Amino acid sequence: MKLIIAEKPDQGSTLASVFKTKKHQGYIEIVPNDVFVNGAFVTWAVGHLCQLVPPEAYEASWKKWSLDTLPIVPDQFQYEVTRSKAKQYSIIKNLLNHPQVSEVIHAGDAGREGELIIRNIIRLSGIRKPMKRLWISSLTPKAILDGFRSLKTEEDTRSLYYEAYTRACADWVVGMNASRLYSLLLQKLGFSDVFSVGRVQTPTLALIVKREKEIESFLSEPFWEVQAQFNVEGKKYKGKWEKDGDSRITDQALAKKIAAFCEQKEAEVISVECEKKEYMPPMLYNLSALQADVNRRYKFSPKKTLDILQKLYQKGIVSYPRSDSRFVTEGEAEAFPDILQKLNNLNDYEHLFPLPNPSIQDNKRYVNDKKVTDHYAIIPTEQVPNLEKLNAEERKLYDLIARSLIAAHYGKAITEYTTVTTSVDGRALFVSKGKVQVEEGYRKVIPSQDKEKDPLLPPLEKGEKGKVQAVEVKESKTQPPKRFTEGQLITLMKTAGKHIEDKELEKVLMSTEGLGTEATRAGIITMLKERAYIEISKNIVYPTAKAKILIEAIGEEILASPEMTAKWEQRLKEISEGSANPKQFMEQTKKMIAHLISSTIETSNQWEFANEDKEEFVPRKSKQKRAVNLGACKKCAGRVIDKGSFYGCSSYKESKCDFTISKKILGKSITQKNVKLLLTDGATEMIEGFKGKEKSFNAKLIWDEKQQKLNFMFENSHN
């Protein structure tokens, strides 16, 4: 009799659903059939049933956080059963011990984490029985049956387990030591909080903080542009003054002079240039690409996307969600005609058929066995659902995945871009740009999400003449770099190699998976939120003062750089390939941590932090601390204090005074210093970079006594 151990209850149920079964508490019994002649038991983990033990389990003195006990490095790592999951572990252990069970089938997710979860349970149980590995990329009945009929041997995936185990132990060493190191040193400087540090989360956070510093140090400069309205042979269009390819004028007087010169002058079209651009259909989705696209379209967080995708996978209607590949194998492509025929039968897609290209079997853009490692791209399975039975969020994701496969069978989209140059009085040159879609191609399936920047232009020919009908000067300001969205953060982690100076290491990080893996990136972002390092407002990622303080403290240490991840990923990949030694890797990790501890303690007396960050820093347990009095309330006799996520009146409980000031207004952090100024002087300092609906602006915040509310006092206005 076989014992099948899945990673999650739903997956266990799905694996058993293709056979006749009997249900029991915590497991399912498969009755004898042609695949399992003597029957089988199916049970499951509940994610990570086992965890690495805490430091004090190795050494009692390690429980207390002290610089004297660092580095904390066990001689032999140990796992324990997670207390809340002990009941399910007991069920699995009893089944492993069952006298009729002669072989175990490891049916965890076909990837590193799945490999680790199930093998850890078996290892901790101490029971040794022969093992095989189920390795499938979808949960359709056909895939399940095919998988059980062609099981891998235990040796086939053993090195993947070594890699995952080594990764977990090394991450533990870095996290335990670096988190204690920076927390203790920063607490000495008055920052009372736990500063969690990790191999993946910290370089990611460093990139977010780096972007914030670029924004803060950006000096916005005004510029002016001259726009003209032309009437040429009865055809009307607009153009922008340009010189040497630049339309920006840094001198307002000059801009006004150009505009005045052009008023009602003769105009002539001196060139009409057309360029056709071809756009290939998008590649199939991997998890990162899907998370980024869904965030851009629907503002779903990466974690939410992964959770919905997991549900679709467990329903058997899409392939394995944590895939890092955007290709499929030739064998998988053979099933496309069947899948597409079923999609054709759905009302949502029938208008997209017949397909321009009935087969992409020989198209290397999508079908390439060499580019598929553990899993192929995320695609719809042959088990096409009734869309009405999916909820709105599931339907949005399924629609994107289905359309990506349909679009792959369409041709390229071709757009013609036109650039018209108009001369005014033979001296001033104006440029007009427009576009026309020549061939719709795959855009019929996936319409462009880009806002139409280039308007349609009337048909114009060189030599046509007319007049300037109107002319105006428009003022703008140079804009700082934009903050990341959650979706862009996923892409940033995936492509972190671009931020490495060393070209060889860049190649390594790009050829592995960047920062984190497809399976872990969403979790890293969630972790940064939970640990109060980032805040998400309207899908925009803002680093907190806590994040800035930690990254400033870490400074140039390799811990904040993608370089360390590149080196680690290179070694870990070699471990999974069987060409590197886990023991040597752990020795290098220990040396790195020992060096980090000694050098950080030595340099910590030189740390300096921005006053704004020190003022804005809110300890995690701030409610237990004395509230900082920022000034007298503008509405009552109370005082205004920092309440964590906002500033508010201390008399709220007694008088219900509703005086509050948000900590973020139109994308700008409002510091304690500015709140004090507002309460004492009636106005803050000039704050640069408020995000308006159309453009950024600079203003002071003032208290309007008549309206009893905050208002803006703009740069050029006067009291």
Side-chain angles (χ1 to χ4, degrees), residues 554-668:
I554 290 173
E556 297 301 311
E557 286 290 351
I558 198 164
L559 201 59
S561 163
E563 287 179 44
M564 187 182 83
T565 293
K567 288 176 178 174
W568 277 44
E569 293 301 338
Q570 185 177 37
R571 292 284 172 268
L572 288 164
K573 193 176 182 187
E574 287 166 4
I575 290 169
S576 73
E577 292 166 352
S579 60
N581 187 312
K583 193 175 179 183
Q584 287 176 348
F585 180 83
M586 289 307 300
E587 286 302 321
Q588 289 168 345
T589 303
K590 291 174 191 176
K591 283 179 186 173
M592 185 271 286
I593 280 296
H595 170 74
L596 177 75
I597 291 164
S598 61
S599 65
T600 303
I601 291 172
E602 194 178 312
T603 57
S604 60
N605 59 352
Q606 298 165 24
W607 289 350
E608 289 183 8
F609 305 101
N611 286 331
E612 185 175 325
D613 294 337
K614 288 192 278 189
E615 286 176 6
E616 234 182 273
F617 175 77
V618 180
R620 183 179 286 187
K621 295 181 181 176
S622 57
K623 289 178 184 175
Q624 297 172 7
K625 301 206 172 280
R626 184 175 61 82
V628 180
N629 182 4
L630 300 173
C633 177
K634 289 287 186 182
K635 286 190 173 183
C636 73
R639 57 197 178 92
V640 175
I641 59 173
D642 189 328
K643 294 197 168 188
S645 57
F646 64 94
Y647 306 108
C649 183
S650 62
S651 300
Y652 172 74
K653 284 185 180 176
E654 297 80 34
S655 64
K656 298 296 177 195
C657 176
D658 62 354
F659 180 85
T660 58
I661 300 173
S662 174
K663 282 201 169 178
K664 257 201 180 64
I665 297 175
L666 296 182
K668 288 301 293 180

Side-chain angles (χ1 to χ4, degrees), residues 241 255-266 424-430 468 471:
W241 177 89
K256 287 182 174 177
K257 194 174 175 183
I258 293 168
F261 167 79
C262 294
E263 289 279 2
Q264 299 300 311
K265 289 282 197 313
E266 298 292 322
V424 174
D425 200 36
R427 290 175 65 187
L429 298 180
F430 285 76
V468 175
V471 64

